[in-house]
Structures are given as C-alpha cells and as structure tokens.
Amino acid sequence: MAYDPNNVFAKILRGEIPCKKVHESAHSLAFHDINPLSPIHVLVIPKGAYVGFDDFAAKASAEEQADYVKAIGDTARLVGADEGGYRLLSNCGVNANQEVPHLHVHIFGGRRLGRMLKKDGE
Ligand code: 5GP
C-alpha cells in the first residue's frame, strides 16, 4: 500500500488537526484515540511516513525503530496502563481492517479486555 500524505495521522503530525497528546519523542507521537474502545485507548505513531509494520521494519532507521518501541512502552506507563495490564494492537492492511494508513499501535487498558481474537465462524 502506498503512503497517502493526506491521511488523518499525517495531518495530526503536521498540526493541521488537533490531538490530545500523551507523549512525544524524537521520532514518535502518542495521543488519545478519538473514539475510545476502553477506558485507556491511546495511539502511538512514528513521525515518519510508514503505512504498516512491514514497511517500517524495511525502511525506518534503527534509531526510529528503537525510539518507536520505547515510546510505546513509555506511553503505556504514562497513562497507567501498566498497573492493571494492557493490550497492544496494530492493524496492518485489508485483512486487519486498517482504517488509517499510517502505522499505529493501539494501547488498550483500564478494564478486562477479553480474549484476543474470535475464532473463524464465531
Ligand atoms: P485502525 O482501524 O486503523 O487500526 O484504527 C484507527 C483508529 O484511529 C480508530 O481507533 C479511530 O478511532 C482513530 N482515529 C480516526 N481518526 C482520528 C482522529 O482524527 N483523531 C484521533 N485521535 N483518532 C482518530
């Protein structure tokens, strides 16, 4: 999938639309999801133009990759998700119903989250 610079997270990064920022580092930004699915629901994105984890791993520098992994863990602590436990989720591509074509990891927490995925046919 080609990167579309008009996606909503690219607009947030350019300051064209607002976000409720939680954390920022040299190469990453974390903010509250606009439509939270759990008491804690935060998105962590790299500042670079990557659609999913596959092209991030292929194209991002080692510094960007390290920064992003650290930003995810730091954000989980900052929002208190580490206290009761949390789930990381990244939808990449059509099968995963990715809505925004800019790499993002969801941090869900603040309640029991159930099992991770339904089996086929459920
Ligand atoms: P995806 O299905 O791509 O993994 O999830 C995209 C997420 O982005 C959704 O949870 C949706 O609520 C969130 N989202 C979409 N537009 C905006 C926005 O303008 N601001 C924020 N903060 N979140 C958004």
Side-chain angles (χ1 to χ4, degrees), residues 1 3-4 15 19 26-27 34 49 53 64 67 84-85 98 107 111 121:
M1 202 192 295
Y3 186 80
D4 173 8
C19 72
H27 298 289
I34 203 167
F53 256 106
E64 286 175 286
D67 180 289
Q98 181 177 7
I107 302 175
R111 67 168 170 82

Side-chain angles (χ1 to χ4, degrees), residues 5 35 43 54 64 118 121-122:
N35 183 25
L43 301 167
D54 43 298
E64 286 175 286
K118 288 186 176 175
E122 285 184 325

Side-chain angles (χ1 to χ4, degrees), residues 21-104:
K21 185 163 89 175
V22 172
H23 178 58
E24 183 168 9
S25 57
H27 298 289
S28 310
L29 178 70
F31 50 90
H32 291 281
D33 195 288
I34 203 167
N35 183 25
L37 299 176
S38 54
I40 296 170
H41 186 176
V42 175
L43 301 167
V44 190
I45 66 174
K47 292 181 178 175
Y50 306 105
V51 180
F53 256 106
D54 43 298
D55 66 327
F56 183 68
K59 297 175 197 154
S61 68
E63 189 182 326
E64 286 175 286
Q65 296 193 36
D67 180 289
Y68 189 48
V69 171
K70 180 166 166 47
I72 294 166
D74 286 347
T75 300
R77 267 200 327 279
L78 277 169
V79 296
D82 57 321
E83 287 161 25
Y86 58 97
R87 178 171 294 158
L88 304 180
L89 179 92
S90 187
N91 293 316
C92 298
V94 174
N95 281 350
N97 285 343
Q98 181 177 7
E99 288 174 12
V100 180
H102 182 113
L103 173 60
H104 52 284

